[in-house]
């Protein structure tokens, strides 16, 4: 899928992505980078609101899994189970959130578990950044359910 097609899918199926101004900047089959403008995500100090950073980081993890699973012909319901964002420094401009698939051994174990049990859990790591500087590190645990409504 093209970046604009992925962005349109996110805006249609996850409405908060429109309010965040989220856009897909990069997708290579194993990693994704999303961007968002600062203006609609400001806090009272003129920096990015932590909830917006967290939402974009969760979305990056979800999107990398969603797209990788779809490319393998697997339609699953994908949900976040646990999310942790360590804030490293304030974000004072437009920002990005990136995530990549876990190491091949973890990914293969996840796919194997999903095939056997119709449910699997995986941890995805990511980052929020501004101007090439890390503003936070994200770790999300996602659960995939086969036989459930995709999403």
């Amino acid at each position: 899928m093209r970046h604009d097609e992925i962005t349109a899918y996110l805006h249609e199926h996850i409405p908060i992505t429109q309010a965040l101004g989220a856009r897909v900047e990069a997708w290579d089959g194993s990693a994704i980078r999303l961007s968002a403008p600062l203006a609609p995500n400001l806090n009272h100090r003129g920096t990015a609101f932590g909830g917006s950073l967290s939402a974009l980081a969760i979305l990056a993890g979800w999107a990398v899994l969603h797209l990788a699973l779809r490319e393998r012909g697997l339609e699953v319901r994908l949900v976040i189970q646990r999310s942790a964002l360590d804030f490293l420094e304030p974000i004072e401009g437009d920002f990005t959130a990136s995530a990549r698939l876990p190491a091949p051994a973890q990914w293969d174990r996840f796919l194997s578990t999903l095939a056997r049990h119709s449910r699997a859990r995986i941890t995805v790591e990511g980052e929020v950044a501004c101007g090439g500087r890390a503003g936070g590190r994200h770790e999300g645990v996602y659960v995939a359910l086969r036989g459930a409504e995709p999403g």
Side-chain angles (χ1 to χ4, degrees):
M1 292 179 83
R2 294 187 337 246
H3 300 162
D4 60 331
E5 293 172 325
I6 301 167
T7 298
Y9 178 90
L10 295 174
H11 286 186
E12 180 181 344
H13 295 280
I14 306 173
I16 193 175
T17 62
Q18 290 180 32
L20 293 170
R23 297 267 181 257
V24 176
E25 279 192 357
W27 164 244
D28 68 5
S30 64
I32 196 163
R33 186 176 62 251
L34 308 176
S35 65
L38 179 62
N41 296 292
L42 283 171
N43 66 19
H44 65 293
R45 298 281 188 194
T47 60
F49 176 59
S52 295
L53 297 173
S54 182
L56 200 67
I58 290 168
L59 181 65
W62 181 92
V64 75
L65 292 172
H66 174 77
L67 292 167
L69 289 165
R70 282 188 69 166
E71 285 185 354
R72 287 161 179 78
L74 297 171
E75 294 288 331
V76 301
R77 181 172 173 224
L78 188 59
V79 297
I80 183 81
Q81 182 180 43
R82 188 184 66 76
S83 175
L85 181 60
D86 293 329
F87 297 92
L88 305 175
E89 64 179 59
I91 300 280
E92 298 177 331
D94 296 348
F95 56 96
T96 62
S98 58
R100 74 173 34 263
L101 290 178
Q106 292 172 282
W107 179 243
D108 291 343
R109 187 170 40 253
F110 168 76
L111 292 174
S112 176
T113 300
L114 185 60
R116 280 194 323 271
H117 300 289
S118 298
R119 170 183 279 218
R121 179 177 293 111
I122 194 162
T123 300
V124 175
E125 295 181 354
E127 166 181 282
V128 293
C130 176
R133 293 179 52 134
R137 303 252 184 257
H138 182 256
E139 181 179 273
V141 178
Y142 299 82
V143 177
L145 305 160
R146 279 189 324 132
E149 184 177 314

